[in-house]
Structure formats: structure tokens, C-alpha cells
Amino acid sequence: MTTDAEFEAAIAALQDWVGRERIVEDEIGLSSARRIAGMLDIDPASLKQGDELPPHWFTMFFPDIAKQSDIGPDGHPNKGVFLPPIPLPRRMGAGRRVTIDGCLRIGEPAIKRAIVAQVLPKIGRTGRMAILTMRHVIETRGQVIAVDEFDAMYREAPPPGQPSASTPPVPAPDDAAWKDTALLSSPLVFRYSSVTWNAHRIHYDADYARQEEGYPATVQNGGLTMQLMLDAALRRAPGRLKGFTARLARPLWVGDTVTLCGAAPANGKMECWAADKDGHLCAKMELEFAA
């Protein structure tokens, strides 16, 4: 692809992927739930067969399990195995919109319907991009308990030896009603990648992250950032979580400390955000609670 028009034509050629659906099964095993609990510093032995899990934990089940021969050089499954073959080499989470009507239960089988909802080209200040939206419908006991629309951003590779392009930083709000901090340690990020079966090399291979994708260090997993934000907000929740929207604005680096902040709940909602060690805004989220 040498021109923007050719890039846009390549994305247009993928539109027959839109609407494709596949089913991912999971038994919501006790050992899996306990691994997640331990990773989140919860006593694993506190979970028992039949227990109801926190409503947002569905995001850590239903992994895409590719054969080793189907894994690409970045650690993701090769293009076209599960997801459309978008002709850009770098992939990162960008945001999500979630509605929640129930919870998974340990020991009860469940399924995820993974539907390709949208593939869009975008040409901006940092180069060519494509946004892939996947709609994940979670079902158990014959009922839909969650719908998760997840956006992934695909980007061009940086020129050899050049840093990855990034948008200018924006200061995080300074009027938080509450704050928590979390160390994004290598073991924490590794364990999150393990329980979610995510082998993306930018999260654990510093040489690859620097030399191939132009980052200054290994990159914090965006799913873990959202998980930590949700956990912090739910410690102040006024009711049952009904849903949330999230947007990742700026990378965080493994080994750094993130500050998780939020406003006081109001009208059944709560805004929260994450700031890096320099006070830059890295993620935003709005939670909605049942009355």
C-alpha cells in the first residue's frame, strides 16, 4: 500500500468479515477463578464451586486459543485465524462499551458470541490506522448476561530506529474525590496476560517492544488498566454495576505506578480516570449502577 486510497481500499475489502460470528465456550472453572483472584490480591481459597463472580470478571474468561503454529511474530494469532486480516502490523486495545445484566457462576458453562461489528480506516496525525470493533455477547443459563463492544486499534510500524508516534499528553483532572495507586509490576502484568491467555510481546519482551514497535519499555496491558480502574471504583460503588464505557488515551509502562482516581457517585453514575507517574491522563471510564 503506497497511497492512502490504496489503504482505504484494503480496509473496504474486509467488509465481508462484518457480521461473522464464532462461539467461544468456557466452563468457568474453579481453578481459573482462583488464579484470577490471586492475581488481583484476593484470597484464592475464598472462592468456592457455585460462587457468583464479580460482574466485570467475564472479560478475563473466553480466551481465543490458537495453535502455536498460528501465532504470529508479535505473539497474537496470525491475521485471519480469528480476526480480519487488517494490513497493519501493530494492535492495541482502545476502549469498550459494556452493559451487564448478570454474573458468571463458578462451575456453570457459558459462551461468548464473538461478532465482527465494524472495521473502519482512519488517517490521522500519527499515520494510518484501522479500528476493529468486536461485539462479545456473554450467555449462561440460557440468558445474555453481558454485551461488550471492544475497540482495537491497528497502526503502522514506526520507521526503523524511530520511536512510536503518540498524541500530545493531556493533564489528568485534579479534582478527584478518591485516589488509589497500583504498581504495574512485571509479575502482575505477566499474571494478567497468563489468565487472559494474551501472548502479545509488547507486554513482556522489552527488546521486541523497543526494537520492533518503537516503545521505550514494555507496555502495560490496557485490559488490566481497565480492570484496576473498575476494582477501585467498585470499592466506592453505590449499587450493582450495570455497565461502563472506557477509553484508553495514552500508554502506561510496566514497572511504573498508576494513580486510579474518581469522582463521587452522582445520579447512579461515577466517572473515574487513570494517571501516569507524570500526571498525564491515560484512561477514562464512566460506570453506571442500578438504583
Side-chain angles (χ1 to χ4, degrees):
M1 295 179 296
T2 58
T3 68
D4 290 345
E6 289 173 330
F7 165 65
E8 291 175 337
I11 300 301
L14 299 176
Q15 295 309 304
D16 63 347
W17 277 77
V18 174
R20 292 194 191 185
E21 177 180 327
R22 56 191 170 80
I23 293 177
V24 182
E25 299 175 300
D26 207 327
E27 74 280 3
I28 318 302
L30 177 61
S31 61
S32 296
R34 285 179 169 173
R35 289 186 185 102
I36 292 169
M39 181 265 298
L40 295 173
D41 208 30
I42 299 167
D43 180 8
S46 67
L47 296 182
K48 302 292 190 296
Q49 198 77 6
D51 283 353
E52 197 172 74
L53 294 175
H56 57 301
W57 278 29
F58 75 86
T59 61
M60 294 181 284
F61 289 89
F62 313 101
D64 289 323
I65 303 175
K67 296 183 299 182
Q68 191 62 27
S69 57
D70 283 333
I71 295 296
D74 64 352
H76 280 307
N78 283 318
K79 295 168 184 175
V81 174
F82 297 122
L83 301 177
I86 293 172
L88 293 172
R90 303 163 65 208
R91 176 178 172 228
M92 292 186 73
R96 66 197 331 157
R97 296 158 299 282
V98 177
T99 58
I100 298 174
D101 294 307
C103 299
L104 296 173
R105 193 179 295 276
I106 298 174
E108 290 191 351
I111 65 170
K112 176 178 76 175
R113 297 186 183 277
I115 305 159
V116 179
Q118 186 171 256
V119 188
L120 291 177
K122 185 177 180 181
I123 301 172
R125 289 180 298 175
T126 59
R128 296 170 184 162
M129 294 174 280
I131 307 298
L132 169 66
T133 300
M134 294 295 299
R135 181 178 297 114
H136 296 154
V137 180
I138 311 302
E139 299 180 14
T140 187
R141 303 181 294 277
Q143 298 177 329
V144 173
I145 62 164
V147 178
D148 177 7
E149 287 200 343
F150 183 87
D151 300 325
M153 179 186 299
Y154 291 73
R155 299 177 63 190
E156 297 175 298
Q162 296 296 313
S164 174
S166 62
T167 55
V170 174
D174 60 3
D175 58 348
W178 54 264
K179 291 184 181 181
D180 288 346
T181 58
L183 175 63
L184 305 175
S185 68
S186 294
L188 172 62
V189 178
F190 171 82
R191 295 178 92 190
Y192 180 83
S193 293
S194 296
V195 299
T196 57
W197 203 243
N198 183 335
H200 194 184
R201 289 171 66 185
I202 63 172
H203 301 313
Y204 60 88
D205 186 337
D207 289 341
Y208 173 86
R210 293 189 187 101
Q211 296 167 13
E212 300 297 325
E213 300 214 15
Y215 296 113
T218 44
V219 184
Q220 154 72 345
N221 191 305
L224 176 56
T225 299
M226 288 187 265
Q227 177 71 39
L228 296 174
M229 293 173 72
L230 284 163
D231 289 344
L234 291 176
R235 286 192 282 271
R236 289 92 174 174
R240 178 182 63 83
L241 181 65
K242 287 179 54 180
F244 64 92
T245 62
R247 183 176 66 84
L248 301 176
R250 189 172 180 83
L252 288 155
W253 314 113
V254 176
D256 284 354
T257 295
V258 62
T259 303
L260 311 165
C261 310
N267 301 316
K269 296 183 178 181
M270 181 193 296
E271 293 185 356
C272 58
W273 57 93
D276 66 15
K277 63 182 181 180
D278 298 314
H280 298 144
L281 180 67
C282 294
K284 296 179 67 175
M285 183 177 287
E286 183 178 86
L287 293 77
E288 184 176 0
F289 302 96

